[in-house]
Structures are given as structure tokens and as C-alpha cells.
Amino acid sequence: MKTIRTQTLVAAALLAAVAFTTTITCAADPLPSWNDGPAKKAIVDFVAKVTKPGSPHFVPVAERIATFDNDGCLWAEQPMYFQAFFVFDRVKALAPRHPEWKEKEPFASVLKGDVKSALAGGEHALMEMVMATHAGMTTEEFAQIVKDWLATAKHPVTKRPFTEMVYQPMLELLAYLRANGFKTFIVSGGGIEFMRPWTEKVYGIPPEQVIGSSIKTKFELRDGKPVLVRLPELSFNDDKDGKPVGINQHIGRRPIAAFGNSDGDLQMLQWTAAGPGPRFCLYVHHTDADREWAYDRESHIGRLDKGLDEAKEKG
Amino acid sequence: MKTIRTQTLVAAALLAAVAFTTTITCAADPLPSWNDGPAKKAIVDFVAKVTKPGSPHFVPVAERIATFDNDGCLWAEQPMYFQAFFVFDRVKALAPRHPEWKEKEPFASVLKGDVKSALAGGEHALMEMVMATHAGMTTEEFAQIVKDWLATAKHPVTKRPFTEMVYQPMLELLAYLRANGFKTFIVSGGGIEFMRPWTEKVYGIPPEQVIGSSIKTKFELRDGKPVLVRLPELSFNDDKDGKPVGINQHIGRRPIAAFGNSDGDLQMLQWTAAGPGPRFCLYVHHTDADREWAYDRESHIGRLDKGLDEAKEKG
């Protein structure tokens, strides 16, 4: 299991004003934003090994499955998960329809702009807000709400659209793997229907290759037209132990490469590493406080603690 | 919504000894086993329309999603669902470990070879046997059990392996659609992990494009090795209303073509037909009692009743 440090992994948006210090050793370098260190070498060596016909490590195209966490791996996750910004904006947008929220926590704190108090109720409070904002509409209406939000919402620090807060080196990695016959999947604790409206455009990953947490939906005929209505009930939590379960449910085949950045990805990496033949697991380790954010063991989100120990232990 | 009759849709296995009567009008006919009737013409016209660049009906490759029911659509389903034969054989194989089954229904009837009495308890009895035979092992162990069974089990009427009880015209249709940029998915009420071990070899459909009913799984470390253990608890029933839900969960995009054969597929066909732009829905109608089985409104399985009415009504 490799770790790479975010000196090489900065948000594309942040790169714009920063001197480009990576040494480009070859005009055809498929990973130009990566430092020429052991992580890059390990990736290139792995891809060469599994794609070389006749090699004892050769893996047929159909089995070249690579899975990626999203928050903190493909796009940033500081100062909080981007979907949480969406939740808060939706609470504000829906507030006129819910006069009772003015007096009711955690909604009241959100409406006062007090995010810290709103989140004081922990996961329970967050789930209450997710259910109040993510359910009650059809799947198509929800996709449109997500698209409309992304078209105008801005990251509070960089003032960039959230879909520009993606890591250039990881975009290169996705493209490099696909050019070598890999099928790339997202396996995220984030909402599956929160990601699907934009992952194809931003990452080149189509909706059927996005795995995430979900709420239940119900098939209904409305005026004779079939719709799927989103219900305020959790269907699947795609985090930690849930990631191998989600991978099995959606893909039905064990990945040969997996990429994460937090303890929430540990089981996915263990599941991937435990298969036969060549396997590649990588932890993105955020260490660049100047161009991005530096965080690991003590972070309130995207905590990397057990995973860092296991990565060090197993190399 | 089109229906086709199984005069053109006979099990490949059954074709072997039968004179091949289809008129082949063109050397490059991509659907040689299909009669040159309106169903074939409708399919070819539809594919031409959605794949022609510049056409007002053009559909980009990424959106060319086609979904197929399995039982009675891609492979046969008479005299009963093939997975039921698997369940009964597993009950017999596991009986030595369960001496109590000799006295306990529905197991006792299965062990006496009395299928009718075993199924007298309806869905509840069948689910009890499914849970007793499909859970308790890891996902990898279960896949191996399915493969081992398919290697020796034979259809009671044709004495052929079940994986040869597939419809040649449908194999041609799958290949034809894929050659035209379609991604082909199975959407079946059958068990997702019962199908995945063989769908790639038999239909060219990889595991990640198989949607089916499922039981829950649990991630565990066994002697330090991660496994997914199958639990005796239903996770998802991919039938009727469940089919659009499963399609949305796995694909996240509405199919533009869907193929079924029973009322269990009606909602999938409705969901598909209700999207914008060109859509193609087809019911396989089993009418050839000589070479296959003829059944529809009164059948105990694969009943086609409401669907037949709606197909006639909507053309």
C-alpha cells in the first residue's frame, strides 16, 4: 500500500497561480503533474506489468477494475464535505416552505449561519438535514437541483465552483488507467445521486460507474407517467465496511487497484489488496498546507489514522 | 411496445435438430435467426435511427443503454425458473448437515422429490429454501458453488446444461446492439450472484452489468483476510416495481431500449418508454409449443397478462 503526499496533489483550481515545479522527464509522460517519486514509478510499473501480453502478471481488460474514493481523493473535502454545503444551501432554499425550521434544530442554526452549532448534533443532525433536503422529489428533479446548485455555488475559500476543486494529478491518473484498458469507478460515502449528474463531465466516469450512499426510491405512476420518488430513508451507507459491500453489489468483481485518502477507505483497500495476482493500493496523504490542506490523524473529516499505520506496515 | 412470438425465438439448444427455416435476405444480416417480420424491422430501424450522426434521433454512445430480463427472455424458464432447480439441488446437497430437514417442510418434500408439495407454501416456502441454501458462505464460495452446479446440472426435459438453454435470436440481438455502441444490461428477478458467474461467458455481459435480486452481505476479516459473508436476509427484490428502482440504483440512467417477457417486466418497459427521444420496448411472447413452450396469461411463472394488454394497446 503506497501513500503519496499532496505536494504533488493539489487542487487544479489552486494550481493556476502556483509555479509549476514538477519535472517533466518525457514529452509523452502520461502523469505530468506527478513528482517523479516512488508513487509515480509504482503506478507506471504496475500498469506496465498488468497490461503486457504474455506477462505472468497480465490481467485481461475485463478485469482491470480501478476504484476511487471521491471526497479528498478526486476532489477536495475541506473545510467540510462539499455535499454538506449543498445540504445547508438546500435548507436555506427550502426554509420558506418550513416555517417551523426557525425554531427547530439543527435547521435553526443553519438559517442563522451557525454551521458549528448545526453540526453539534453529529451524524444524527446531519442525516436529519439530508433527509429533509434530499427526499420528497423525483430522481430527475433531484438531479436538476444538483446541477442548478453546482452552476452557481462557490467554494468558500477559493471562490471557485466545486467541480473545479478537483485534483489535476488524479484526473491524469484516471485518464492514464482508462487509456490502458481500465474501467474506473467512484466508490464514495457521498450520495450516489449527488455525484452522478456531474462525474461524467468532470472525471469521465459515467453514472453506472458511480457507487455511493443512497436513500430508497419508490416507483409510482403520476398522471400515467412513471417516476421514481426519493424517500427519506437510508438505503445504503457506502463507507468503511460498506465499501467492499457496495463494490460487490455494483461491480461483482474485485478491483485490482484502489485509491483512497481516509480510514473510510481502509476496507476497500484491504478488499482490493487481498485478491490474487498483482494489486495496487494507494493512499493520498494530504501534506501540502500551502497549496491545499494538510491533515490526517486528527482531522474532523477525512481522518487518516488506522490507514496510515497499515500503509506504513504493509508498504 | 412490440411483441414477438417465439416461432422465431427458440432455445439455441432446441434449434440443433430443427430445420432452419428463417429466410436470410442478406449476407450481412446481423439477426439471421429472426423472421423478417415487423419486430425485426422495428429493431433494425430503431438502431439505424439512434446511431445515425446528425439525425434528430441520434443518441450518444454513452446513453445507449439496453436492459434485458433474463428468465424467459435470454434463457428459458420452463418448467420452472432454473434457479429453483439450483435451490432444490442445494437442499439435497446440504441435507446431511441438516438432519432436521427430513421432518421439516418445505425441505422434507424436496428430499422426497415432491417438488409440487415443496412449492405449496408459495413464496414464503421458496424464500426459506433460498436463505438456507444461498447464505452462510462467502461471496467467492457461493460463486464457486454456482459454477460447479452449472458444470453438471441438466435441464429435465432437454437434458442440456442450463447455460445452453439460451435463445439464439437474443444472443444475436445482444451482439447487434453492442456492435452499435449499446451497453447491454441484465435486469432480472433472479439472484444477482447466481447470474454473475456465467453471464460474461454465455451472453458477453460482464458482472458489473448484471442487476438482480440480492441478499445482504457483511464485510469480515477471517484470519486477517477480508471476506464478504452472505447473510440470510433479503436486500433487494428486483422484480416489477423493483426493476426501475434497480436500474436507477445500478445504472443511474434511463435505458433507451428494454426487453422482457412477463408482467414482472412491465414497469421496466414503462420506465424505459417514458423517457424523451426514441425508445424501444419489446415483449418476447412465447407461442411456439413445438420447439419451446407456449405460455402467457395463465402461466404459473413468467405470466404475461397485463403486459400483453398494454403492448396491444400501445403498439
Side-chain angles (χ1 to χ4, degrees), chain A residues 83-98 101 107 110-111 129-130 132-135 137 141-142 144-146 148-149 194:
Chain A
Q83 194 170 356
F85 290 109
F86 173 72
V87 170
F88 295 150
D89 284 350
R90 290 306 299 159
V91 167
K92 289 172 202 160
L94 293 169
R97 283 194 242 165
H98 295 274
W101 284 356
F107 304 97
V110 172
L111 298 177
M129 289 186 282
V130 168
T133 55
H134 285 53
M137 69 293 283
E141 287 163 354
F142 184 73
Q144 193 57 51
I145 290 168
V146 172
D148 291 347
W149 179 76
F194 175 72

Side-chain angles (χ1 to χ4, degrees), chain A residues 140 183 196 248-249 254, chain B residues 140 196 248-249 254:
Chain A
E140 293 190 334
K183 218 171 190 174
R196 282 172 163 169
N248 184 61
Q249 179 67 9
R254 197 188 294 248
Chain B
E140 294 190 333
R196 282 174 163 168
N248 185 60
Q249 178 68 11
R254 197 189 294 250

